[in-house]
Amino acid sequence: MQVSITGHHLEVTESLKTYVDAKFEKLARHFDNVTDVHVILSVEKLVQKAEATLQLSGAKLFAEDHQEDMYAAIDEMVDKLDRQITKHKEKTGSHR
């Protein structure tokens, strides 16, 4: 799984990188066909924004979240992606 992290109006520190990597490793355990992840972390005045585009085999998923804390925004974004992945997995799974 290839994870690329970009920051808009924000310097992406090593602790943010390791936090995002750890969160996406949890997603990889649920569904192993994740090929590419692009994460954008940005700051707009007092709002911290985290968004991610996930490339799966056969689908492209997107989630974003706005919080006052960047780590909380990353947590909520990963939770949204987790729900989308399980929904996609149920759709593509065997119906027997």
Side-chain angles (χ1 to χ4, degrees):
M1 175 172 61
Q2 178 89 23
V3 179
S4 63
I5 303 170
T6 340
H8 287 223
H9 306 291
L10 169 78
E11 182 180 339
V12 180
T13 61
E14 193 62 37
S15 62
L16 274 175
K17 285 181 186 179
T18 55
Y19 190 75
V20 169
D21 287 337
K23 288 296 181 177
F24 279 101
E25 287 300 320
K26 183 182 88 167
L27 286 183
R29 278 187 259 140
H30 288 258
F31 193 66
D32 57 347
N33 292 341
V34 178
T35 56
D36 188 35
V37 179
H38 184 70
V39 179
I40 300 173
L41 306 174
S42 61
V43 176
E44 298 171 1
K45 295 190 180 181
L46 298 175
V47 177
Q48 313 281 330
K49 180 179 173 185
E51 58 186 63
T53 305
L54 205 77
Q55 184 70 40
L56 298 174
S57 57
K60 191 180 242 186
L61 304 177
F62 176 79
E64 69 177 352
D65 195 62
H66 310 286
Q67 297 286 334
E68 291 182 7
D69 181 35
M70 182 60 77
Y71 292 100
I74 292 170
D75 286 342
E76 290 296 319
M77 176 196 62
V78 169
D79 288 344
K80 288 178 183 179
L81 281 173
D82 191 28
R83 286 192 296 271
Q84 289 180 17
I85 286 175
T86 52
K87 188 174 180 180
H88 175 74
K89 192 174 176 181
E90 289 171 1
K91 280 184 181 179
T92 60
S94 175
H95 294 291
R96 293 180 185 198

